[in-house]
Structures are given as C-alpha cells and as structure tokens.
C-alpha cells in the first residue's frame, strides 16, 4: 500500500518524469512485480469495505530493497475487460520496465456466461430475436480466454517483462466437505479455466502457479465453517477478508518460492515472522484511514447531477440496467455499467475534495449493490473504489457520507462513477431500481 503523502509532496510527484530512461532502461536496480487480475486480488480501502484482495499483502513476502509489488487487480475485471476498458492494461504497461515480472490471474468474471463467450451468446440471442447482454466480460476458456492470456504474455515479453500465469483462488462452494467443480472454476469437463491456463503456460513456456489447487487444499483442510467465518467473512463465497487475503498471499509466496523457473524472483522472497506478518496487515488498515490535506484554499460546496449513463437507463422509478433487467450471476461491479458525475479543476488551480454526500435508495428488492469509484480524465486513470454497499435495504434511504480527501490537479477532470449491480439469485431480475439523490461535494480550491 502507498504511504499517505502531504499535498505538497503529491503535487511535486505529479511533475516528476517517468522512472524509465529514454532508451527504455532502468534508473534503479529495484524490480517490480506487477499483478493483474480481479477482485480476489485487488486493493481495497479499509474504510470502504471489509474485503481484502491477496495482492494487498504480497509485498510482505518480498525484500522491499529489491522488489516492489505493484498490485493492479481490479474488481469486476475479466481477461477481456481488463485489456479493453478503462485504461487498465495500458496504464500497467506504462509502469512496466525491462526486468520486471507480471503475475496474471483471471477467471472469476470470465465465467459470466457459464463458460461461453459473450459475443457468441449475443449472436445466438439476436438470431432468436431476444435482447442481447450488456455485460461483456464472459469468455470461453478454450478460445477467447486463452487468446487474451496469450496477448498479455506476448506484450509483456515484448517489453522485456517476465510473465507468470497464476490460476484463480477457489470459491468456497462446498458440497459434502469438498469444493465443488464450480468452486474450482470447472464449469464442465470441456470448460475448465485452470486447465486452459495451464495449457497456455505449457504452449508458451511460461511459469504456471497453481493457486487453484493450493487454495483448494487449504480450504478443504480448514472446512466450510472455518473458511466462512474467518476467510470469507464479507457476505459471499468469493471475496476474502483480511485473514483470507493474508493466507492467500502466503500461498502465492510459497508457489513463487518453489517454482524452479523463478530462481531470480525466488531469491528476493522472505518469510515474515507471524508478528511481522500481522503488523504489515495492520499498517495497511491504518494507511487506509482518512488523511487530512494541510492545504490552504477557498472552501466551496457544489451539487452535481449525473451527466453520463453507460448501460443504465433512467426511468420514473429510478435507474435500472439497460434493457430493464439486471443480469443473473453478478457478484461484483461491471466496469461498463455506471452513472457518472464529473468535476474539473481550473487550469491553474487544483481542487481538494474533502467530503461527498449522496442519498441512495434501493426500490423493489433488497439485493441492490453499488460501488463508488473515481478516476481521472477520459481514460479513467488511477481507478479507486471509495465506497461499497452490498445489499442495500429495500425502500430505505441510505445517506452515503464520505470524508475522503481527493486531490484534483489543476486542469484535470475527476470522473465519479456509481456502479450498480443486483444479487439476482441465479436469474435476471426486473422491477428493481436504484434511486439517487443530488450529489453534494465540499472541498477547497487551492491557492
């Protein structure tokens, strides 16, 4: 996790040149391990949610003088959407230098069409005269899933970066004391995502770390009740809390350390003592809390209306997914479905947002979920989740009140997105709406 910086330091950092030399070489001997994947890996703000991705804790297992972990896992991402939307993959590439490593772990969201590619499914729906899907994450393990994995590998190698394929952690879908096939990302004998990843690794001579098998062994040893209470204590069977994230980071460390193809990376691994391990996690919790910017400026307060909708429709009752139905099987945000607000700083004066207030209400059912994310510019750079509410109460107003300072540099535009999805219990849901009041932002215009 990044340390909290004062405004003056943050402003100075915005003016720094890239750490990459003009010839693409390195200015420092320190290497980076970049991690790309989904919500089971990603960083979380402790004030926003109890979820913790294992990528948050991986740095604890490396010598910080030699290795810096750049965790870029993203909630809701699949191999396709991480590559194609929201400037995710391009922004990672801008940070990669020759000699770095790239750990690639996807599958949870690639499974959204039950092992079928969404474009294939949409072609069939069109032929049948039915509405097509707007959730574009689904890939087929033996075709498009493999194709995107190959693309990440090729592009990393072109940059002198060593790619590593790591299969996804299991979901805790227990049956008779064992994780079932779906929990292991095997949707049928022909649609096996970990197997497909292993085949790509063998085909392209890439190190393969079987996190699926490792997490399976650990979860089954602990048992359903223990896993649910201590590892997956976030309200679902996919996302881990602090302890679950920590133990999965430990599994990743063991896989790296024992991989004969990662001798150099292995030499920089360390195993913290238990108290050091827990202290590292506690520092993450502390660093995620509010930090006040010691900035002088003119206070302001504004109210904003939504300016852009993506795959969302506004009706008299509120916002609903495009087509009027919330798709089945969604357990996390969908990057290309959102309600967006923007605020732009003056050309010569930055802005510090100090608080965000937004009234929200779920109408028609108790399964509505939202994330509030922000990013910068039309590319939606530096995406950060600052609020999460899973299962908003039915017809009961909730006041989202965030005291979360955000720096908007001079001339920059902040995009604030509300990303809704619905816990559909296995089937599409209609007549479920999200109502949003007027968004209020308080802050300072910097001198």
């Amino acid at each position: 996790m990044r340390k909290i910086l004062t405004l003056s330091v943050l402003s100075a950092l915005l003016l720094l040149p890239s750490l990459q030399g003009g010839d693409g070489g390195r200015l420092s001997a320190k290497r980076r391990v970049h991690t790309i994947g989904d919500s089971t890996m990603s960083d979380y703000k402790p004030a926003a949610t109890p979820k913790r991705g294992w990528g948050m804790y991986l740095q604890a297992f490396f010598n910080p003088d030699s290795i810096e972990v750049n965790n870029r896992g993203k909630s809701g991402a699949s191999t396709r959407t991480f590559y194609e939307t929201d400037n995710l993959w391009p922004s990672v590439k801008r940070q990669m230098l020759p000699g770095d490593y790239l750990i690639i772990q996807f599958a949870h969201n690639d499974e959204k069409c039950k092992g079928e590619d969404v474009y294939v499914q949409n072609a069939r729906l069109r032929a049948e005269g039915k509405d097509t899907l707007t959730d574009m994450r689904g890939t087929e393990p033996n075709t498009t899933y493999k194709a995107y994995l190959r693309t990440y590998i090729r592009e990393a190698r072109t940059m002198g970066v060593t790619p590593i394929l790591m299969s996804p952690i299991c979901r805790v879908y227990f049956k008779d004391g064992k994780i079932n096939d779906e929990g292991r990302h095997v949707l049928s004998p022909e649609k096996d995502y970990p197997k497909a990843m292993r085949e790509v690794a063998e085909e392209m001579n890439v190190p393969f770390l079987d996190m699926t098998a490792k997490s399976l062994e650990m979860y089954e040893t602990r048992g359903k009740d223990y896993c649910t209470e201590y590892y997956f204590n976030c309200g679902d069977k996919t996302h881990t809390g602090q302890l679950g994230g920590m133990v999965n980071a430990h599994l990743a460390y063991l896989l790296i350390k024992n991989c004969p193809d990662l001798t150099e990376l292995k030499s920089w691994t360390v195993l913290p003592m238990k108290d050091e391990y827990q202290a590292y996690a506690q520092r993450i919790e502390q660093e995620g809390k509010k930090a006040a910017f010691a900035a002088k400026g003119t206070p302001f307060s504004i109210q904003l209306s939504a300016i852009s909708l993506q795959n969302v429709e506004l009706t008299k009752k509120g916002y609903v997914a495009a087509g009027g139905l919330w798709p089945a099987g969604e357990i996390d945000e969908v990057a290309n479905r959102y309600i967006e607000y923007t605020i732009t700083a003056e050309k010569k004066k930055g802005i510090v947002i100090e608080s965000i207030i937004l009234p929200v209400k779920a109408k028609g059912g108790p399964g509505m979920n939202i994330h509030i994310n922000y990013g910068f510019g039309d590319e939606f750079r530096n995406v950060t989740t600052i609020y999460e509410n899973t299962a908003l109460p039915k017809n009961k107003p909730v006041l989202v009140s965030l005291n979360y300072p955000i720096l908007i540099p001079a001339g920059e535009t902040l995009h604030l997105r509300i990303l809704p999805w619905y816990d559909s219990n296995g089937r599409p849901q209609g007549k479920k709406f999200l109502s949003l009041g007027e968004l209020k932002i308080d802050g300072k215009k910097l001198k």
Side-chain angles (χ1 to χ4, degrees):
M1 294 289 291
R2 295 171 181 162
K3 293 183 178 179
I4 295 167
L5 304 175
T6 64
L7 178 62
S8 58
V9 175
L10 280 170
S11 300
L13 286 175
L14 292 170
L15 302 176
L16 287 176
S18 168
L19 292 177
Q20 182 167 319
D23 61 353
R26 307 187 68 87
L27 298 182
S28 170
K30 183 182 286 191
R31 305 290 180 89
R32 273 185 166 184
V33 174
H34 307 271
T35 56
I36 63 172
D38 54 41
S39 56
T40 62
M41 172 195 279
S42 66
D43 283 355
Y44 292 93
K45 299 297 181 184
T49 174
K51 294 177 183 177
R52 303 289 183 269
W54 65 264
M56 295 175 66
Y57 304 107
L58 188 60
Q59 181 68 70
F61 296 93
F62 283 102
N63 181 347
D65 296 329
S66 303
I67 287 289
E68 177 187 353
V69 175
N70 177 34
N71 184 27
R72 295 300 303 275
K74 181 67 182 73
S75 291
S78 70
T79 54
R80 170 180 282 130
T81 59
F82 196 95
Y83 190 84
E84 295 183 351
T85 65
D86 287 339
N87 197 35
L88 294 173
W89 176 235
S91 68
V92 177
K93 288 178 70 175
R94 286 194 293 270
Q95 296 177 318
M96 295 196 305
L97 294 172
D100 286 351
Y101 293 81
L102 175 70
I103 296 177
I104 305 163
Q105 183 186 78
F106 292 98
H108 285 85
N109 298 304
D110 287 81
E111 301 167 14
K112 291 304 177 182
C113 293
K114 299 188 182 301
E116 186 174 28
D117 186 84
V118 65
Y119 286 100
V120 174
Q121 194 168 79
N122 276 345
R124 187 177 66 253
L125 291 170
R126 279 192 294 270
E128 296 172 354
K130 298 178 180 177
D131 292 334
T132 56
L133 303 174
T134 57
D135 184 343
M136 305 306 291
R137 290 178 287 182
T139 63
E140 199 280 330
N142 299 298
T143 55
T144 42
Y145 178 68
K146 282 186 172 182
Y148 280 105
L149 293 177
R150 293 186 188 107
T151 300
Y152 290 122
I153 291 166
R154 284 194 294 266
E155 293 188 13
R157 281 176 165 166
T158 297
M159 299 182 68
V161 173
T162 300
I164 302 166
L165 291 181
M166 179 181 286
S167 61
I169 65 170
C170 289
R171 293 186 172 99
V172 283
Y173 290 176
F174 274 92
K175 183 178 181 181
D176 299 327
K178 301 292 185 181
I179 301 291
N180 69 13
D181 287 349
E182 188 176 358
R184 296 185 292 108
H185 308 282
V186 180
L187 306 189
S188 73
E190 297 78 28
K191 297 185 183 299
D192 183 328
Y193 285 87
K195 179 183 176 184
M197 180 179 278
R198 182 189 292 274
E199 289 173 351
V200 171
E202 292 173 351
E203 167 196 332
M204 301 191 74
N205 194 27
V206 172
F208 175 73
L209 307 180
D210 196 345
M211 189 76 139
T212 310
K214 272 289 185 183
S215 59
L216 174 77
E217 178 184 1
M218 181 177 67
Y219 299 162
E220 290 186 347
T221 298
R222 289 295 190 181
K224 178 181 178 181
D225 292 342
Y226 187 95
C227 289
T228 302
E229 182 173 357
Y230 295 107
Y231 294 164
F232 290 79
N233 54 339
C234 298
D236 62 54
K237 299 178 181 180
T238 298
H239 300 103
T240 55
Q242 183 188 98
L243 182 57
M246 288 170 63
V247 297
N248 279 317
H250 188 190
L251 295 184
Y253 154 79
L254 292 174
L255 288 166
I256 292 167
K257 185 174 183 295
N258 294 326
C259 180
D261 296 326
L262 296 175
T263 303
E264 185 183 42
L265 190 56
K266 170 184 173 180
S267 68
W268 293 313
T269 58
V270 294
L271 182 59
M273 301 297 289
K274 187 175 181 180
D275 57 342
E276 295 174 327
Y277 190 28
Q278 293 172 337
Y280 183 87
Q282 189 58 35
R283 285 199 301 274
I284 288 177
E285 301 301 308
Q286 294 298 323
E287 290 171 2
K289 294 182 178 179
K290 176 185 174 182
F293 284 105
K296 295 182 179 180
T298 305
F300 74 92
S301 180
I302 58 173
Q303 291 184 317
L304 300 176
S305 299
I307 65 161
S308 176
L309 303 180
Q310 181 75 18
N311 290 316
V312 177
E313 299 173 359
L314 178 58
T315 71
K316 291 181 179 179
K317 292 185 178 182
Y319 294 98
V320 66
L325 292 176
W326 298 97
E330 294 185 349
I331 59 171
D332 210 332
E333 70 177 57
V334 180
N336 65 342
R337 183 198 300 136
Y338 55 80
I339 303 119
E340 182 174 88
Y341 307 78
T342 63
I343 179 171
T344 302
E346 296 177 12
K347 289 185 178 180
K348 296 184 179 180
K349 294 181 180 180
I351 290 174
V352 171
I353 292 177
E354 296 179 324
S355 71
I356 298 170
I357 298 175
L358 178 66
V360 302
K361 182 192 289 186
K363 298 180 179 179
M368 188 68 69
N369 308 274
I370 64 169
H371 277 175
I372 299 180
N373 293 352
Y374 73 81
F376 292 94
D378 293 339
E379 305 92 352
F380 205 55
R381 307 181 307 275
N382 303 327
V383 183
T384 303
T385 299
I386 56 174
Y387 180 80
E388 175 184 73
N389 194 322
T390 54
L392 288 165
K394 177 182 177 181
N395 298 328
K396 181 180 179 181
V398 174
L399 185 65
V400 176
S401 181
L402 302 174
N403 295 316
Y404 188 91
I406 303 170
L407 171 67
I408 309 177
E412 185 67 271
T413 297
L414 177 83
H415 294 251
L416 193 71
R417 292 180 177 176
I418 316 300
L419 298 95
W421 72 98
Y422 198 86
D423 187 355
S424 62
N425 293 321
R427 59 184 182 275
Q429 295 287 320
K431 300 181 180 179
K432 317 293 184 187
F433 304 92
L434 175 67
S435 174
L436 300 179
E438 200 161 36
L439 178 72
K440 181 182 178 183
I441 290 179
D442 291 317
K444 293 178 182 178
K445 294 182 179 179
L446 302 178
K447 292 182 178 180

